[in-house]
Amino acid sequence: VAAFQDCKGLTAVTLSNSLTSISSEIFFGCSSLASVTIPNSVTSIGSLAFSGCSGLTSIFIPNLVTNIGVKAFKDCNKLNIVIILENVESIASSAFDGCSSLFSLVCNATVPPVCGNNAFQGINKQECILYIPAGSEKAYRTADHWKDFFYMEYNGDILASVKAVRRD
């Protein structure tokens, strides 16, 4: 817990393939952290794990992750692309609170993950494009915390879709 907290000189991290969870507060306040590679072995991201990592611009949540903790990415205010693969079941309270630069959110789950209060607080949901799997529009349109996003269904390559509408 909090092993690298407030490590201002840390700019990039590639986590070990043997890692199964990202501890709470491990990178809390690492404001220069710009790049994180989360391995496919990770199943959960702890509370406040990347909170205050204001240098992060994108994050890829791999397929085995089922839970994103409370305030996990809070105040990552340069985060502009988030890709969440299909096994995420829950996104805790304030997980992406304060991610005001977010303009592309990909959620590959056909069933929208359950979200805690303020999971997406501070995100302009009319400007941020939510990419969802084809055929899942009705589920997202009626789900709390998801229904207010501008959405776009996709078929095929998610990353190509995101890059096609990327606004710089």
Side-chain angles (χ1 to χ4, degrees):
V1 176
F4 300 98
Q5 183 174 352
D6 293 322
C7 189
K8 305 296 183 207
L10 189 62
T11 59
V13 173
T14 299
L15 300 171
S16 168
N17 286 329
S18 63
L19 189 67
T20 58
S21 67
I22 297 176
S23 300
S24 295
E25 301 179 31
I26 191 161
F27 297 107
F28 181 91
C30 294
S31 58
S32 297
L33 186 60
S35 172
V36 175
T37 302
I38 300 173
N40 291 328
S41 56
V42 170
T43 60
S44 66
I45 298 172
S47 298
L48 296 162
F50 297 98
S51 184
C53 292
S54 56
L56 277 179
T57 58
S58 64
I59 196 75
F60 180 85
I61 309 293
N63 202 36
L64 293 180
V65 173
T66 57
N67 302 301
I68 299 173
V70 173
K71 300 179 183 177
F73 295 94
K74 184 178 183 345
D75 295 328
C76 293
N77 57 5
K78 291 183 184 169
L79 192 61
N80 53 42
I81 298 174
V82 173
I83 299 174
I84 301 171
L85 292 188
E86 64 263 13
N87 290 323
V88 171
E89 298 169 356
S90 66
I91 299 173
S93 297
S94 301
F96 293 97
D97 182 5
C99 296
S100 56
S101 296
L102 193 65
F103 63 77
S104 292
L105 173 58
V106 176
C107 191
N108 203 27
T110 54
V111 175
V114 174
C115 294
N117 291 334
N118 301 318
F120 301 110
Q121 182 75 21
I123 295 172
N124 184 338
K125 294 178 183 174
Q126 299 307 306
E127 293 289 323
C128 180
I129 298 173
L130 172 62
Y131 293 88
I132 56 176
S136 61
E137 174 189 349
K138 185 176 181 183
Y140 281 87
R141 284 270 183 218
T142 58
D144 286 339
H145 305 284
W146 297 101
K147 61 187 173 188
D148 297 326
F149 279 95
F150 178 79
Y151 75 96
M152 179 178 289
E153 291 184 302
Y154 67 85
N155 287 308
D157 187 356
I158 302 168
L159 294 177
S161 297
V162 170
K163 288 175 184 173
V165 297
R166 182 173 178 158
R167 295 171 248 158
D168 291 319

